[in-house]
Amino acid sequence: MKQPSKKSRKPLVLVPACNRMMGDHPFQMAGKKYIDAVRLAGCLPLIVPSSSADEVDELLDHAEGVFLTGSKSNVHASHYGETTRDESLPQDRVRDDWVLPLIPKAIARGLPILGICRGFQEANVALGGSLHQAVQEQPGLADHRAGPGTPDEQYAFAHEVDVQADGLLAGLLDAPRIRVNSLHGQGIKRLAEGLRIEAKADDGLVEAFSVEGARGFALFVQWHPEWQAASNPVSQRILAAFGRACMDYQGRDPET
Ligand SMILES: N[C@@H](CCC(=O)NCCCC(=O)O)C(=O)O
């Protein structure tokens, strides 16, 4: 059977799975809202089960984009030279071990990459930055965690962020301040070198960054644009830009 040409199919976007126990058994999974967001971007989501650093290049060879989801799990503190302060909080060492090396490789290829919440934190760590393990305990910083409640309550707008002028995000939006939801206990402590701040909260916490001089689309946000994205103009613009970048990448000569 004739294989469809790359340009006649939707761009394939890798979505690294989270590793969670369900009862006594380990599962690998991704939240439906993230998968729906990749589809809304006009791309074909492919959930990737736990992989390994030595498989990353082969995985990226088959992809036209990478979408890093949020997760209740934290990036292990050893990846940024610290010890874990609260062992009771969930971790996902399996995801750490193959997604952290994937991020710089995807960026180096110019492969479009969009990271959300944990995905935002993973990218900062993967590129040499560090995290506050408990933002709410830092003097001068607010509590960015979602309280208890229904999903609609937890993912409701929680605060505004200042979109930094003349950046990638500013170019996508037509508002200098936007309302965002907030469901994170960790956050940027030291921003990795070579990253450009794209948005900041009023307490000064970095809420979005891009990669200076990146060959392709590379945007990472601390909030959740995937939440009810179809009815959120800011989310729609972010996802549309990511999708366009994946389509452009797909249409590029593989040698470029
Ligand atoms: N665990 C980190 C990252 C938080 C995060 O990704 N929250 C989203 C969880 C649920 C979802 O997938 O939407 C932190 O606490 O900072």
Side-chain angles (χ1 to χ4, degrees), residues 182-229:
S182 187
L183 298 94
H184 61 105
Q186 305 205 340
I188 301 289
K189 183 177 186 178
R190 184 185 71 255
L191 188 68
E193 285 188 31
L195 299 185
R196 187 194 190 281
I197 296 174
E198 295 283 345
K200 294 177 85 169
D202 289 342
D203 63 1
L205 198 68
V206 174
E207 289 270 344
F209 60 78
S210 59
V211 180
E212 289 172 353
R215 289 177 61 197
F217 181 98
L219 180 64
F220 304 88
V221 299
Q222 182 67 85
W223 67 90
H224 288 268
E226 86 287 355
W227 177 256
Q228 298 180 345

Side-chain angles (χ1 to χ4, degrees), residues 20 129-130 147 154 158 180 186-187 227 232 241:
R20 293 193 185 172
S130 65
Q154 291 193 313
V180 297
Q186 305 205 340
W227 177 256
N232 181 320

Side-chain angles (χ1 to χ4, degrees), residues 70-136:
S71 173
K72 291 188 190 317
S73 68
N74 294 323
V75 178
H76 196 271
S78 61
H79 289 295
Y80 48 94
E82 297 189 13
T83 55
T84 299
R85 292 183 51 198
D86 183 349
E87 293 285 358
S88 71
L89 295 177
Q91 297 170 359
D92 189 340
R93 303 299 305 270
V94 173
R95 175 167 163 172
D96 289 346
D97 287 349
W98 74 276
V99 172
L100 292 177
L102 174 143
I103 292 167
K105 284 178 175 272
I107 292 168
R109 288 173 179 233
L111 195 68
I113 183 166
L114 175 59
I116 292 173
C117 209
R118 177 186 158 119
F120 161 93
Q121 296 170 359
E122 280 171 331
N124 183 55
V125 171
L127 298 169
S130 65
L131 303 176
H132 289 303
Q133 295 189 47
V135 170
Q136 63 281 1

